[in-house]
């Protein structure tokens, strides 16, 4: 079976979204352009890690360019996308690994999400893939502004499933919450 690469260069839309209620939500990345939609399933932790890493990569690219790269310091409010995932929602694959990089020549962020591959039970057997026969891949190229918007929505989405602190109304972090308003109250 040959590898399927879903490629979007500056898509009309690239978002993280969910289906279901908090505690039982399924998380998706979805890219769409010109009537074509690609949706991939991933874990909540993967969404959070991707969004946080995007912010770090953009900040570093902006710093290295001396502030010249076309990357806003924050997500432009007029570009924020709060619409639900596009339908029909058909999962192409479950994400295993992700990668991202700032392309300084093309001035865009490249996000890659690769399909999960089951590990072999035989430790001596290592599966080697080439460009034609590897796991399916979603590759998206985003402007700095669109990448900031994606990261903001993704971080908001992850936080939305958490109960708010009764003192400060900030989302409770599963690892613990040091409340700024309750004199160090840790929940």
């Amino acid at each position: 079976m040959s590898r399927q690469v879903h490629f979007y260069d500056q898509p009309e839309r690239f978002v993280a979204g969910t289906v279901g209620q908090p505690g039982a939500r399924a998380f998706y990345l979805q890219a769409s352009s010109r009537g074509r939609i690609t949706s991939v399933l991933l874990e909540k932790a993967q969404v959070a890690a991707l969004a946080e890493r995007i912010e770090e990569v953009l900040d570093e690219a902006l710093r290295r360019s001396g502030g010249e790269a076309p990357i806003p310091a924050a997500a432009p409010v007029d570009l924020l996308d709060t619409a639900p995932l596009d339908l029909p929602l058909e999962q192409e694959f479950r994400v295993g690994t992700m990668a991202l990089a700032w392309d300084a020549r093309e001035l865009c962020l490249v996000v890659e999400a690769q399909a999960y591959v089951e590990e072999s039970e035989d430790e001596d057997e290592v599966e080697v893939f080439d460009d034609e026969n590897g796991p399916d891949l979603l590759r998206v190229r985003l402007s700095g502004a669109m990448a900031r918007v994606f990261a903001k929505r993704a971080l908001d989405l992850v936080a939305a499933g958490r109960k708010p602190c009764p003192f400060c109304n900030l989302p409770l972090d599963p690892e613990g919450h040091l409340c700024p308003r309750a004199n160090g109250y840790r929940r």
Side-chain angles (χ1 to χ4, degrees):
M1 189 161 106
S2 69
R3 168 186 236 182
Q4 188 169 8
V5 176
H6 306 274
F7 178 65
Y8 290 84
D9 189 4
Q10 306 301 327
E12 294 164 9
R13 192 165 191 234
F14 181 62
V15 296
T18 61
V19 173
Q21 297 299 316
R25 296 184 295 175
F27 287 78
Y28 291 89
L29 292 181
Q30 188 176 75
S32 59
S33 189
R34 295 184 212 144
R36 184 171 67 111
I37 302 169
T38 302
S39 304
V40 296
L41 179 70
L42 70 168
E43 299 295 324
K44 178 180 178 178
Q46 289 175 298
V47 173
L50 177 62
E52 290 167 2
R53 187 70 183 122
I54 285 174
E55 290 286 355
E56 292 170 5
V57 168
L58 293 176
D59 290 345
E60 180 63 16
L62 194 56
R63 185 191 66 74
R64 285 184 180 195
S65 73
E68 297 296 316
I71 302 170
V77 177
D78 59 326
L79 296 180
L80 289 177
D81 182 347
T82 58
L85 294 169
D86 291 326
L87 298 176
L89 185 62
E90 296 174 3
Q91 173 187 326
E92 296 295 332
F93 59 83
R94 182 173 149 222
V95 174
T97 60
M98 295 184 293
L100 58 108
W102 177 255
D103 183 336
R105 197 167 29 105
E106 297 293 324
L107 300 175
C108 66
L109 184 76
V110 180
V111 178
E112 290 186 350
Q114 183 174 290
Y116 175 78
V117 177
E118 298 246 358
E119 292 183 20
S120 172
E121 291 183 25
D122 182 1
E123 292 180 16
D124 295 331
E125 184 180 317
V126 177
E127 195 161 0
V128 178
F129 298 109
D130 58 27
D131 286 340
E132 292 179 17
N133 296 313
D136 288 351
L137 180 73
L138 171 62
R139 179 179 294 137
V140 182
R141 294 165 43 97
L142 303 168
S143 68
M146 192 167 192
R148 287 278 191 210
V149 167
F150 170 85
K152 174 158 181 25
R153 175 182 168 139
L155 290 170
D156 289 350
L157 183 70
V158 169
R162 298 183 188 153
K163 294 178 182 173
C165 171
F167 299 101
C168 68
N169 210 30
L170 291 172
L172 291 173
D173 189 328
E175 285 84 42
H177 173 73
L178 184 59
C179 181
R181 289 201 181 147
N183 298 324
Y185 167 77
R186 184 176 292 277
R187 182 165 171 120

